[in-house]
Amino acid sequence: MAPNVNGEDANEIEMHQDIEIEPSTATDSDGNKSYWNKYILGSVVLASTNSILLGYDIGVMSGAVLFITDDLKITSTQVEILIGSLNICSLLGSLASGKTSDWIGRRYTIVLSSALFLLGALLMGFAPSFVFLMIGRVVAGIGVGYSLMIAPVYTAELSPATTRGFFSSFPEIFISFGVLLGYICNYAFAGLPDHINWRIMVGIAAIPAIVIAIGVIVMPESPRWLIMEGRVEEARQVLLKTSSSEREAQVRLIEMTKAAANDDSLHGRGVWRELILKPSQPVRRMMIAAIGINFFMQASGNDAVIYYSPAVFKAAGIHHKKGLVGVTIAMGIAKTSFVLVSACFLDRFGRRPLLLLGSIGMAISLAGLGLGSKFLERSVHKPKWAVAMCVVSVCADASFFSIGLGPITWVYSSEIFPTRLRAQASSIAVSVNRVVSGVVSMTFLTISEKISFGYLLFIFAGISTFGATFFYFYLPETKGKRLEEMESLFEKKRTDESDSNH
């Protein structure tokens, strides 16, 4: 919907039409203040806190499944279904999230995702059987699907161009923190009886879900969504609070209003038609880029390695349950630390360098983990150096993922689309993310039993290498670009982009 700009809003915007807007620098005035704008920081933290729930589930299930298996007497196939079902069911939430967020707004979609995960966590915590546990996973999965799309989109739409990379990394920061929190809870409750410990581990996620659902209510709505709805004055008030100066706020308002007004020329063409059936050249390239980065994020096996890290360490010769849970904490610390490093440098070095560094590092780490695993598989006595190599390689894989694909996937796929397409295009990309994650998680044990952990890890290393090649040739740099510039950026040829960036 194009904005209904009239009366005082129209007059004031028209008075400022003579403001010169230089490409990629209009929002750079006093840009350093934008990093520590308390209003943006508070809003982004609240929105991204929702991502703790996904990270917590990934971390806690890696250990809880050891006790669930003993308590409910489930098979390895049921373990794969249990773990992978959340990712598959999140597909429902991610597909619906685009339309939902365009309908009720970005903010209330975040509240909805928290409420769904709250219900799912309670169902899992009190589950008397495997079937009941699966129902909880389905509900929680739908909430996760909503969360994965909406937090990066909301953050990208709220943040100025100069700090968008930093703030849009927050969802992955909170996912990593959630993973670490899950590992710590596993270790803390592992000593309890098997019929109690896993219930506390999965059910405790209801507490942050309640806090998030309440806290999100005080957040502002996305200014771009408000303009799409014709609520220009409300958008202006949000921009005044999220910009480093009144001039910057006015420039951003003019750009957003112009972009939304231009969308009116597309009246009669549905979003799905423009995205799938008859996309323009830049939109087609955006879709391929967003789907590609989401595909490689999960096809490289990160979620599976985290979910099944206790199984990997068990194969490496660590058999005590509390030891299996405890060694994963080191991986969680590494993952959380390096995603913070990436967030701080995304707006300085750009998306492409960190993405390439992370992907190549993952390929090397996964190859090292594969070599260590193959050596241990053929060794009767488990040498300490080989066990150490596996532990270090897992931590390195998690660290390089947190430098590149982890945060940048959410940043990139949420920032490249025009406002009229952003929510629903992002939902498609996240849906691919969820499907691939679910397939990998639900087949990891089966395939590893057929061909061994080592060979499966070599496959993941090859996929990471192929992903790095795709990123190098197909993804243009978006550092410092305003959201309204993205469409013209993707009209250029890759060689032209490389020249302009240098």
Side-chain angles (χ1 to χ4, degrees):
M1 182 193 310
N4 180 21
V5 185
N6 51 46
E8 183 179 348
D9 291 334
N11 292 334
E12 185 168 347
I13 291 175
E14 186 175 353
M15 288 171 58
H16 290 80
Q17 293 297 309
D18 58 342
I19 294 178
E20 184 178 356
I21 304 174
E22 298 179 3
S24 306
T25 61
T27 59
D28 201 26
S29 60
D30 205 12
N32 290 332
K33 289 184 179 179
S34 297
Y35 265 100
W36 308 115
N37 183 303
K38 294 180 180 179
Y39 196 70
I40 300 178
L41 186 61
S43 300
V44 170
V45 165
L46 279 172
S48 302
T49 300
N50 215 27
S51 301
I52 282 182
L53 302 177
L54 171 62
Y56 180 80
D57 181 86
I58 293 173
V60 82
M61 284 303 293
S62 68
V65 73
L66 298 173
F67 306 103
I68 293 173
T69 301
D70 291 341
D71 185 30
L72 300 183
K73 310 301 181 185
I74 61 177
T75 66
S76 60
T77 300
Q78 288 175 311
V79 169
E80 288 181 322
I81 294 173
L82 177 65
I83 290 179
S85 60
L86 183 131
N87 296 316
I88 294 296
C89 294
S90 64
L91 172 65
L92 301 175
S94 59
L95 283 173
S97 58
K99 191 69 175 177
T100 302
S101 63
D102 281 345
W103 179 38
I104 66 175
R106 313 319 195 203
R107 184 174 55 144
Y108 287 112
T109 302
I110 295 173
V111 175
L112 175 62
S113 68
S114 296
L116 287 169
F117 197 95
L118 166 63
L119 178 59
L122 292 175
L123 289 172
M124 288 188 289
F126 290 102
S129 65
F130 177 73
V131 173
F132 208 94
L133 186 61
M134 284 298 302
I135 294 173
R137 296 288 284 174
V138 170
V139 176
I142 295 173
V144 165
Y146 273 103
S147 174
L148 285 175
M149 189 287 294
I150 195 59
V153 166
Y154 174 85
T155 302
E157 292 187 345
L158 191 70
S159 307
T162 51
T163 55
R164 191 176 58 247
F166 173 71
F167 286 122
S168 295
S169 300
F170 273 42
E172 181 63 23
I173 292 174
F174 280 82
I175 288 176
S176 298
F177 179 73
V179 171
L180 177 59
L181 191 62
Y183 289 154
I184 293 172
C185 286
N186 282 341
Y187 190 81
F189 299 122
L192 298 176
D194 286 358
H195 67 285
I196 295 175
N197 52 16
W198 68 265
R199 297 180 187 279
I200 297 176
M201 291 174 186
V202 300
I204 204 171
I207 297 175
I210 294 172
V211 175
I212 294 164
I214 296 173
V216 167
I217 296 175
V218 303
M219 291 164 47
E221 185 51 87
S222 159
R224 287 175 171 85
W225 183 82
L226 290 171
I227 289 175
M228 286 175 62
E229 294 295 302
R231 296 155 63 178
V232 179
E233 181 55 35
E234 292 178 58
R236 185 204 314 276
Q237 295 305 315
V238 174
L239 289 170
L240 286 171
K241 294 177 181 179
T242 58
S243 301
S244 59
S245 66
E246 185 175 350
R247 181 183 181 278
E248 180 185 323
Q250 188 63 34
V251 169
R252 293 175 67 192
L253 180 65
I254 292 170
E255 286 188 322
M256 292 177 193
T257 306
K258 282 182 176 180
N262 290 336
D263 290 348
D264 195 44
S265 63
L266 297 169
H267 184 70
R269 288 182 63 187
V271 170
W272 288 96
R273 174 185 174 84
E274 189 175 357
L275 287 174
I276 304 297
L277 298 179
K278 290 188 177 181
S280 62
Q281 181 182 4
V283 170
R284 183 184 300 110
R285 293 194 66 221
M286 290 173 184
M287 287 298 297
I288 294 173
I291 289 174
I293 194 172
N294 276 273
F295 171 83
F296 285 111
M297 178 188 192
Q298 299 300 345
S300 57
N302 178 76
D303 277 8
V305 170
I306 292 177
Y307 272 128
Y308 297 110
S309 55
V312 174
F313 293 138
K314 188 175 182 179
I318 304 173
H319 297 290
H320 190 268
K321 284 184 180 178
K322 197 162 186 177
L324 289 172
V325 171
V327 76
T328 58
I329 293 178
M331 182 172 64
I333 292 173
K335 183 177 177 64
T336 304
S337 301
F338 279 94
V339 76
L340 289 170
V341 172
S342 178
C344 291
F345 289 101
L346 255 179
D347 290 308
R348 180 179 300 179
F349 296 130
R351 285 50 160 164
R352 278 170 50 82
L354 294 180
L355 190 58
L356 293 171
L357 171 64
S359 299
I360 295 170
M362 284 179 66
I364 296 172
S365 302
L366 288 165
L369 181 58
L371 285 172
S373 297
K374 290 303 296 180
F375 186 89
L376 290 169
E377 287 169 12
R378 300 178 181 182
S379 175
V380 177
H381 304 289
K382 309 293 184 182
K384 290 184 179 181
W385 69 264
V387 175
M389 179 178 180
C390 287
V391 173
V392 170
S393 295
V394 167
C395 292
D397 177 58
S399 300
F400 280 114
F401 178 85
S402 294
I403 288 173
L405 274 168
I408 297 174
T409 297
W410 308 122
V411 174
Y412 204 87
S413 55
S414 65
E415 70 182 356
I416 60 177
F417 294 102
T419 301
R420 68 184 183 276
L421 305 176
R422 185 171 299 117
Q424 297 195 47
S426 296
S427 74
I428 294 173
V430 171
S431 297
V432 172
N433 183 300
R434 295 295 83 203
V435 168
V436 177
S437 177
V439 170
V440 172
S441 298
M442 294 177 75
T443 59
F444 184 86
L445 287 181
T446 299
I447 296 176
S448 63
E449 288 172 0
K450 298 291 184 182
I451 66 173
S452 78
F453 276 124
Y455 286 135
L456 182 54
L457 292 165
F458 288 142
I459 292 173
F460 287 149
I463 292 173
S464 296
T465 302
F466 187 60
T469 304
F470 172 81
F471 303 146
Y472 180 81
F473 287 104
Y474 207 84
L475 269 60
E477 180 58 71
T478 57
K479 178 187 72 171
K481 302 293 183 181
R482 301 187 306 275
L483 296 183
E484 288 72 26
E485 289 183 89
M486 295 298 176
E487 199 160 1
S488 60
L489 178 66
F490 276 82
E491 287 175 349
K492 301 176 181 179
K493 293 182 180 179
R494 186 73 204 90
T495 53
D496 294 339
E497 291 163 1
S498 299
D499 293 339
S500 65
N501 288 333
H502 291 87

